[in-house]
Amino acid sequence: MTDTSSLGANAPTDTTVAENADRPQTTDRHEDTPDSWTDYAFEGEPKLSVDGLDVHYGSDQALDDISIEIPEQSVTALIGPSGCGKSTFLRCLNRMNDRIRAAEVDGTVTFEGQDIYQDGLDLVELRKRVGMVFQAPNPFPKSIRDNIAYGPRKHGTVQTDLLAKLTGRDDSDQEDEIVERSLRQAAIWEEVNDRLDDNALGLSGGQQQRLCIARCLAVDPEVILMDEPASALDPIATAKIEDLIEELAEEYTVVIVTHNMQQAARISDQTAVFLTGGRLVEYGETDQVFENPKSQRVEDYITGKFG
Amino acid sequence: MSYTAESELVVDNTSTAERLASAVVGLGLVTFVFSLVGVTQVVTAETTILGISLYDFLAGGLLLMGVGTVSLGIGSRTGVFNTSPDATPGAVTAALFGLGAFALAGLVASQSLGLGTVGWLLGATLVGGVTFAGVALAPEDIGSTLPPGVAAIGVAVAILAGIITPAFAWEPEGFSATLTGSMAIPLLLAASTLVTMWGGAKAYEGYGSKGRQTAAYLLVGINAVSIIAVLVALLLFIASKGIGPAFEGFSLVPFEWPFVTNGYSFRPEVVNGVFPAIMGTIWLVIGAVITGVPVAVAAAIFLTEYAEQGRFVGAVEIATNGLWSTPSVVYGLFGYAFLIPRLGGTTSLISGMLVLGFMLMPLCLITSREAIKAVPDEYRDASAALGVSRWETIRSVVLPAAMPGILTGVILGVGRIAGETAPILLVMAGGLRDDAPNVLGSFEFISSPPFVANDALLESAPALPYQLYATITAGVSAENAAAFGWATAFVLLVVVLSFYALGIASRLYFRRRLNA
Amino acid sequence: MTELPLFDLETRLGRLSDVDRDIGSLAAGGAGCLFATFVLFVLNSTLAVIPLIGFLAVTGYGWYAHQAETARALTFLATASTILILGLITVYVFVEALPVLQRMGVRLFGFTEPVEVFGVTLIPSVESYWSTSQHVYSLIPMIWGTFVTTLIATAIAAPLGIAAALFLAEIAPPLVRETVKPGVEILAGIPSIVYGYLGFVVLNTFLYENLEMANLGSLFLVGLVIGLMALPTVVSVADDALTSVPDAMRDGAVAMGLTEWQTMKSITLPAALSGVSAAVLLGIGRAVGETMAATVILGHSQVLPDPLQDVFDNTETLTSLIASQYGNANGLHMNALFTAGVVLFVTVLVLSIAARRIELRMDRKLGGGQ
Ligand SMILES: Nc1ncnc2c1ncn2[C@@H]1O[C@H](COP(=O)(O)OP(=O)(O)O)[C@@H](O)[C@H]1O
Ligand SMILES: [Mg+2]
């Protein structure tokens, strides 16, 4: 765990940032995956841009020289066999890897043009803007309402405590609005609006996951990272989450890890394929990657020959 | 609404404010440590630094801290420092400051101004209420720096100006104690330093949620370090007092350690020792282990391997919890009422063994049960798949796998009972003695039931913790009596804590091996 | 596992004898011998040794001939003995207390003034609280002493202990945690008589001199010492509770942009509440039952402090009453000490059951529908 307090300008972080100059110029470092396979041109500025990202867990390398640019307001799918570093990559994008002591991150990740691994970066602010939904639903052991309102309350967006009530700054109405809006966006409002004060742990797995998405939306992030959000769910709940993701892309930038190829093909605008060894092998428009992959290995993987 | 505008993703805050805040916190840490030492009167007002009285010196530091903190708050409000405070410091902060102000104002009103009950209550409530409202309505930067800063300046001025001196004495009504200046000054210094550091730490991070985190971490860290420091200081103190007398006359070649090998002989020329007590404790532990452990392990086996959740298991769990939490002195009463009349009618070693065995049983039962539960079911399945019967499986697979855990529990349990005084007070007694109980040499066969007799078991025997108690009841006013007590305490600590250290080390070792 | 309900000994024995007559008669013989041993021992007869030899013989033969069944029967006996021992403690402490319970009735909790509600006397007054010559025994001063010391000890151990546990479990770097945690666990083993000795020799005089107290020994000091003594236990148990909260829960909060302090305050600590409150109740139980520190520090006077809130006065606690008076007590006086034992026993039992209840309920609540 890194305490977020160590975000001061000269505070040490346990992730070291390699100087870009130190990195060998790797135009074609991996002959089997030429850069042209992962170069994906799109209009506009990238929301997130990753350059030469390496991650080690102790002596194990989990990501090997990843460079990728992620466009705004779209769904980017990350696919690949299990253990190839998809989760690790995702966690680099909002620096959740800081919480894993063994993880060592080298390379640059920029969010809206700002290096998120630079000194003085405000982790709290970063994670407010880059939200995350986890593989296993992890609602807080609180009521449904408190789960959703938790972020806005803690961030001071709404104030509903005793002091606020005493001083007439009570934002209960606004909080109700945020709760309803988030739950509606996450397509769970109809199912829970009559029991907002029940414990969230009493919901079904699919409902819990949508609650977690709503909880993330309530903070009003710009990017939503999702790590196999539907892997623990039944087909009906999965379908609901998929519909939801497509809708979210109109407003948010969604990066989603999945090992379900059909899912990636259905919902994403662009797809990145990771293969064993923590390598990004191919990245491009989803239709192109699935119908006409440039790499033989990706084709084998997609057609189910391995992985 | 959010008080802060859209925050910057990257904050550059290597600033004057940050340096000032670190200075406040750093100065605070030093002042706090000295104040705490001052509470123990190891350093007093007579202690001087550079010719200045220690307390004046510390008060000077506090004054600087107070001024620094106030400037941090004002600087942030006037925009000199780049910060991102919340709209308010929060209800809890306001309430705590309100309470503090109430107490301070009450003391000043009743003690310095001499107002009556109604007067000081009114005054204190007024000041407390105004502080609460002021802090609650103030923006975070002002609300969390001005009150501690002003309080710090106030306390510092009161000490520097001689309003509170070591000669100060406040006798609160209805209490038979007096708060003297020599205690009040370091306590006041420590308290106001803590609060001021809190304000400074918040300012360091520019307030907001990160400021609150830094400030909270500071206090929580100081708390943890202080607890450890106090407990370790306590151990060192006992060691420093006890090592000397415990090693009186000690030599390696030829090996001589009178304190450990001698008895208590009341002869002035011989070093008094705790040999009988050590032997007594060893016998007690052996007896308790023999009575308590097999039963505990057997019950743990039954509960994990044979029994199914039901009313019986429920009752056993309640009984185990009950036995586990029963105060040791109640075990003593039980032994006094049940065992003593049936085992020779007087306090005796065997009663002590049995009572401690009864106490050891629930401790070992709980840990053994955990240990057996932790054996993976695959072991049992694999064994059962080979056609091995359940008892054979338990004996040859489950128990060996659980043994480290069981052993750890036994060692920790033994550590706990070896230091128990209250039960043996009632059932074993046995004060300062010259001779150790000779249990092995006292077995005799007799013709009438119960056919065996052992006088050593049926007599009272000394034990280390009881010996320490006996030292107290015999009076420690004599110089060497106190020294003997410290040495006994030291030996007892070494014995008991060794058991604990051993048990914890073995637990860590086996846990690591299991995870590896 | 298809087993018959185990509390149903009748059926068990019946089933065993169906399986094997030999085992059945062995079990009956063994049980009979053991029962006879117990009865004779309770009757205080040295003859108890004879059925004991019989029991050992039966067990020995059983172990040799039918090891599995014998082992199972023995483990069952061991399990049942926990209930037996708790039962014996309850019975013997109560029986010894009975004469004074009968004699004093509700006046066991009597004050020097009658306790009246709307003119109806609930508890008649006692002439004095504790008089061995007149055989008047009211436990009120001792209950007050135990209450005050426990309150002070809890006020110290609970907040400081939980804060220190937060530091260890959530803030400290792993290296610090891994060295300090075992250290704290070892410190939890310091015997109470050592604290008592320190309190008696050093702290008593320190407070006497520096607080210009009227007497050596005070409830305040006892509470302080017990609080310090309970701290490592509270820290260690609360730390265990905190570390058992799944990381996924913390991640959920941190990924929303919460600081770790906000996360531990509003997610981790509430989620660990059952374990943490169990830690506190454990500490309280220890404080209530703590004997030696109170016995050696206090000046032993069986009256209420005057005025009541004077924590710097000497009183007595339930435990120190027993430990300081058993030596010269006999007859009714000794029975009176057992009443203190009864009150202690019942209090701590209720606390432990309450802790268990809280834990179960919290677990159920947190477990939710899963
Ligand atoms: N906390 C960790 N500590 C050590 N190694 C890890 C950790 N998390 C992941 N790894 C390793 O990093 C590699 C990539 O893991 P991950 O990113 O979880 O892959 P994916 O999500 O694609 O299945 C794996 O080999 C895994 O064993
Ligand atoms: Mg993964």
Side-chain angles (χ1 to χ4, degrees):
Chain A
M1 271 187 291
T2 311
D3 54 5
T4 38
S5 73
S6 64
L7 269 182
N10 33 25
T13 52
D14 47 21
T15 45
T16 41
V17 185
E19 297 298 320
N20 279 339
D22 291 351
R23 214 157 47 75
Q25 293 302 308
T26 54
T27 329
D28 263 326
R29 186 168 143 196
H30 304 298
E31 266 133 53
D32 53 340
T33 47
D35 277 1
S36 62
W37 292 0
T38 56
D39 277 346
Y40 167 56
F42 52 84
E43 280 172 31
E45 286 297 304
K47 188 80 177 171
L48 284 158
S49 159
V50 176
D51 192 22
L53 184 71
D54 284 327
V55 177
H56 295 264
Y57 290 108
S59 55
D60 299 341
Q61 182 154 22
L63 287 180
D64 182 4
D65 193 25
I66 309 289
S67 299
I68 187 173
E69 296 192 328
I70 293 168
E72 210 171 2
Q73 287 171 349
S74 62
V75 179
T76 306
L78 311 176
I79 62 172
S82 156
C84 66
K86 305 178 299 289
S87 300
T88 303
F89 175 75
L90 206 65
R91 292 168 68 93
C92 286
L93 302 182
N94 65 345
R95 287 190 55 178
M96 283 299 279
N97 272 332
D98 287 19
R99 293 171 61 73
I100 300 171
R101 236 149 233 289
E104 197 182 308
V105 181
D106 300 288
T108 356
V109 180
T110 58
F111 170 68
E112 293 184 337
Q114 281 176 306
D115 184 353
I116 63 167
Y117 280 91
Q118 68 178 294
D119 283 349
L121 178 103
D122 186 345
L123 268 186
V124 165
E125 193 58 34
L126 172 72
R127 290 176 184 153
K128 267 194 232 173
R129 297 201 204 164
V130 184
M132 188 166 209
V133 176
F134 297 82
Q135 183 165 5
N138 57 350
F140 303 133
K142 299 174 181 291
S143 72
I144 294 171
R145 181 199 308 279
D146 288 346
N147 260 278
I148 308 297
Y150 182 74
R153 281 182 199 158
K154 290 289 162 185
H155 291 321
T157 318
V158 296
Q159 299 197 339
T160 52
D161 63 351
L162 187 65
L163 194 61
K165 289 202 172 83
L166 284 177
T167 53
R169 284 191 284 212
D170 181 24
D171 298 324
S172 291
D173 295 345
Q174 207 196 338
E175 181 184 294
D176 289 347
E177 238 170 70
I178 292 180
V179 169
E180 180 172 345
R181 193 192 64 218
S182 310
L183 288 171
R184 276 190 195 284
Q185 273 183 309
I188 188 181
W189 171 252
E190 307 297 333
E191 289 159 66
V192 299
N193 64 15
D194 53 344
R195 46 179 172 142
L196 289 179
D197 292 313
D198 288 5
N199 194 317
L201 293 171
L203 298 174
S204 74
Q207 289 173 324
Q208 286 190 0
Q209 191 62 301
R210 276 176 289 151
L211 180 82
C212 290
I213 294 175
R215 183 178 77 185
C216 174
L217 296 175
V219 183
D220 204 17
E222 295 163 37
V223 178
I224 303 173
L225 310 175
M226 296 184 168
D227 192 352
E228 306 193 28
S231 69
L233 305 183
D234 60 76
I236 295 174
T238 305
K240 283 190 177 162
I241 303 251
E242 286 180 6
D243 290 346
L244 174 62
I245 292 168
E246 291 193 271
E247 274 174 42
L248 290 179
E250 288 169 16
E251 231 184 295
Y252 305 92
T253 307
V254 179
V255 184
I256 176 171
V257 169
T258 170
H259 59 220
N260 177 337
M261 243 110 32
Q262 288 74 27
Q263 188 172 63
R266 264 198 306 273
I267 60 173
S268 69
D269 299 307
Q270 52 277 332
T271 299
V273 187
F274 287 69
L275 290 181
T276 322
R279 302 262 296 279
L280 174 64
V281 181
E282 190 157 343
Y283 176 48
E285 210 164 305
T286 299
D287 292 344
Q288 175 259 307
V289 171
F290 277 93
E291 279 155 26
N292 191 11
K294 294 173 184 158
S295 153
Q296 184 59 43
R297 291 205 291 153
V298 170
E299 186 166 349
D300 290 348
Y301 174 65
I302 287 172
T303 52
K305 289 204 180 120
F306 81 96
Chain B
M1 265 316 290
S2 171
Y3 188 74
T4 47
E6 175 82 338
S7 311
E8 288 298 312
L9 193 54
V10 180
V11 280
D12 173 35
N13 54 359
T14 337
S15 61
T16 332
E18 209 175 64
R19 275 193 288 274
L20 183 56
S22 346
V24 167
V25 172
L27 198 57
L29 285 175
V30 177
T31 316
F32 181 72
V33 170
F34 274 98
S35 312
L36 222 51
V37 177
V39 174
T40 66
Q41 307 291 321
V42 172
V43 293
T44 61
E46 273 90 69
T47 318
T48 55
I49 296 178
L50 306 172
I52 308 171
S53 153
L54 174 71
Y55 287 155
D56 285 346
F57 204 84
L58 295 181
L62 185 63
L63 188 65
L64 287 181
M65 286 174 65
V67 173
T69 310
V70 170
S71 359
L72 278 168
I74 293 176
S76 157
R77 193 84 311 252
T78 52
V80 177
F81 301 140
N82 182 19
T83 56
S84 50
D86 286 349
T88 140
V92 180
T93 309
L96 288 177
F97 283 158
L99 267 180
F102 174 86
L104 271 181
L107 280 179
V108 171
S110 65
Q111 300 305 311
S112 307
L113 307 180
L115 297 183
T117 315
V118 177
W120 78 252
L121 257 180
L122 265 180
T125 312
L126 192 70
V127 174
V130 166
T131 311
F132 172 79
V135 174
L137 293 173
E140 193 197 6
D141 46 2
I142 290 293
S144 42
T145 52
L146 277 200
V150 168
I153 294 172
V155 168
V157 167
I159 294 173
L160 287 172
I163 299 174
I164 309 178
T165 62
F168 165 90
W170 173 47
E171 203 169 335
E173 218 167 305
F175 291 96
S176 52
T178 307
L179 186 61
T180 55
S182 57
M183 287 297 260
I185 292 177
L187 282 174
L188 262 178
L189 276 172
S192 42
T193 313
L194 273 185
V195 186
T196 315
M197 275 198 281
W198 174 83
K202 266 185 138 182
Y204 178 86
E205 282 289 347
Y207 314 94
S209 61
K210 276 171 300 164
R212 284 199 296 278
Q213 162 160 299
T214 308
Y217 277 17
L218 180 75
L219 293 192
V220 170
I222 290 177
N223 168 61
V225 172
S226 309
I227 288 177
I228 304 287
V230 166
L231 289 172
V232 170
L234 193 142
L235 285 189
L236 291 180
F237 182 76
I238 292 168
S240 72
K241 288 271 188 185
I243 283 182
F247 283 91
E248 194 182 340
F250 176 82
S251 81
L252 261 183
V253 194
F255 185 77
E256 263 179 60
W257 192 358
F259 188 77
V260 167
T261 53
N262 282 6
Y264 198 96
S265 62
F266 296 99
R267 275 176 298 164
E269 73 280 9
V270 184
V271 176
N272 283 322
V274 289
F275 180 69
I278 292 179
M279 287 313 291
T281 293
I282 291 177
W283 279 117
L284 267 182
V285 165
I286 292 176
V289 167
I290 291 175
T291 27
V293 173
V295 176
V297 175
I301 293 175
F302 185 82
L303 289 172
T304 38
E305 299 294 314
Y306 293 121
E308 278 182 19
Q309 205 61 39
R311 254 187 298 168
F312 178 70
V313 174
V316 171
E317 271 168 4
I318 291 176
T320 319
N321 273 325
L323 285 176
W324 189 86
S325 54
T326 298
S328 55
V329 69
V330 173
Y331 275 98
L333 283 176
F334 166 65
Y336 183 91
F338 181 70
L339 294 177
I340 287 185
R342 291 167 180 79
L343 294 170
T346 62
T347 54
S348 62
L349 179 57
I350 189 162
S351 303
M353 289 171 164
L354 289 175
V355 165
L356 290 188
F358 291 153
M359 287 185 72
L360 184 59
M361 205 181 86
L363 302 176
C364 289
L365 201 161
I366 290 172
T367 47
S368 304
R369 203 174 162 195
E370 294 294 320
I372 297 176
K373 255 192 213 157
V375 175
D377 268 341
E378 290 87 69
Y379 286 23
R380 297 180 181 88
D381 295 349
S383 175
L386 294 174
V388 178
S389 76
R390 175 176 288 174
W391 166 244
E392 237 352 276
T393 305
I394 294 172
R395 216 183 57 159
S396 53
V397 178
V398 177
L399 275 186
M403 202 40 89
I406 296 176
L407 217 63
T408 305
V410 172
I411 298 172
L412 288 175
V414 164
R416 169 102 176 265
I417 59 156
E420 275 295 350
T421 318
I424 55 180
L425 199 72
L426 284 138
V427 301
M428 194 171 93
L432 306 169
R433 287 194 355 186
D434 199 11
D435 57 324
N438 178 8
V439 175
L440 288 181
S442 306
F443 275 107
E444 270 181 298
F445 288 97
I446 51 177
S447 55
S448 62
F451 308 119
V452 264
N454 188 328
D455 282 344
L457 280 178
L458 292 176
E459 276 174 0
S460 57
L464 280 170
Y466 185 77
Q467 181 113 332
L468 190 54
Y469 178 67
T471 317
I472 295 172
T473 48
V476 289
S477 44
E479 181 60 33
N480 52 357
F484 182 78
W486 285 118
T488 312
F490 174 69
V491 172
L492 176 63
L493 259 186
V494 170
V495 170
V496 170
L497 295 194
S498 307
F499 275 115
Y500 271 81
L502 198 68
I504 288 158
S506 89
R507 188 174 66 199
L508 284 180
Y509 175 76
F510 287 113
R511 214 180 260 167
R512 208 160 286 164
R513 209 181 62 172
L514 220 97
N515 291 342
Chain C
M1 292 210 292
T2 52
E3 307 222 346
L4 293 167
L6 289 158
F7 49 86
D8 198 350
L9 193 63
E10 216 64 60
T11 330
R12 276 171 49 73
L13 291 177
R15 195 188 66 146
L16 285 175
S17 63
D18 278 350
V19 179
D20 189 339
R21 267 187 187 286
D22 189 27
I23 295 178
S25 46
L26 270 180
C33 284
L34 197 63
F35 186 68
T37 312
F38 176 69
V39 169
L40 286 172
F41 185 74
V42 169
L43 293 176
N44 199 1
S45 161
T46 48
L47 291 174
V49 82
I50 295 170
L52 182 66
I53 294 172
F55 172 74
L56 292 177
V58 170
T59 332
Y61 172 71
W63 190 264
Y64 166 75
H66 309 280
Q67 200 185 72
E69 287 77 9
T70 313
R72 186 177 170 139
L74 285 178
T75 57
F76 173 75
L77 282 177
T79 313
S81 75
T82 55
I83 299 177
L84 180 74
I85 294 176
L86 190 69
L88 280 178
I89 293 180
T90 316
V91 168
Y92 274 84
V93 174
F94 263 99
V95 164
E96 288 289 322
L98 210 55
V100 167
L101 289 177
Q102 275 171 339
R103 185 188 162 90
M104 297 300 294
V106 287
R107 284 166 75 233
L108 193 64
F109 305 110
F111 293 79
T112 43
E113 306 280 314
V115 178
E116 289 179 358
V117 175
F118 303 122
V120 184
T121 308
L122 287 185
I123 308 176
S125 65
V126 286
E127 307 80 68
S128 61
Y129 284 113
W130 192 264
S131 161
T132 50
S133 53
Q134 297 166 335
H135 290 303
V136 175
Y137 304 108
S138 163
L139 291 176
I140 286 298
M142 283 52 92
I143 292 176
W144 177 253
T146 296
F147 174 74
V148 169
T149 48
T150 304
L151 203 67
I152 295 175
T154 312
I156 292 168
L160 301 189
I162 293 173
L166 266 183
F167 179 80
L168 267 193
E170 307 282 321
I171 303 173
L175 195 68
V176 172
R177 187 196 146 67
E178 278 157 26
T179 41
V180 171
K181 179 77 200 289
V184 168
E185 286 174 317
I186 293 175
L187 288 171
I190 301 177
S192 66
I193 185 69
V194 173
Y195 282 99
Y197 193 72
L198 198 79
F200 178 75
V201 180
V202 181
L203 298 177
N204 246 355
T205 18
F206 178 83
L207 287 194
Y208 180 72
E209 283 166 5
N210 287 291
L211 294 182
E212 296 177 1
M213 285 172 24
N215 40 266
L216 276 172
S218 62
L219 292 178
F220 174 75
L221 180 57
V222 174
L224 204 72
V225 169
I226 298 179
L228 187 65
M229 195 184 310
L231 254 179
T233 312
V234 174
V235 173
S236 166
V237 180
D239 172 86
D240 288 341
L242 286 168
T243 36
S244 68
V245 174
D247 265 339
M249 234 176 242
R250 296 184 184 91
D251 283 353
V254 170
M256 279 162 85
L258 263 74
T259 61
E260 301 196 343
W261 172 244
Q262 286 173 319
T263 305
M264 68 184 83
K265 222 173 40 167
S266 54
I267 301 292
T268 320
L269 197 55
L273 200 61
S274 63
V276 172
S277 29
V280 171
L281 280 178
L282 198 78
I284 296 180
R286 283 276 164 79
V288 170
E290 171 46 42
T291 310
M292 296 324 293
T295 306
V296 299
I297 291 174
L298 283 179
H300 307 292
S301 66
Q302 294 79 31
V303 290
L304 281 173
D306 181 33
L308 198 58
Q309 79 275 15
D310 188 0
V311 292
F312 298 99
D313 203 351
N314 266 314
T315 297
E316 188 80 284
T317 67
L318 290 164
T319 52
S320 69
L321 177 81
I322 300 170
S324 64
Q325 300 208 343
Y326 81 97
N328 43 24
N330 45 42
L332 274 179
H333 183 189
M334 193 67 209
N335 299 132
L337 298 186
F338 274 88
T339 60
V342 167
V343 173
L344 267 177
F345 184 60
V346 171
T347 310
V348 174
L349 209 61
V350 167
L351 274 178
S352 109
I353 291 174
R356 191 98 198 111
R357 277 279 164 82
I358 290 179
E359 213 165 343
L360 286 180
R361 180 171 305 167
M362 290 281 197
D363 286 350
R364 217 172 308 139
K365 211 170 110 192
L366 285 179
Q370 295 192 317

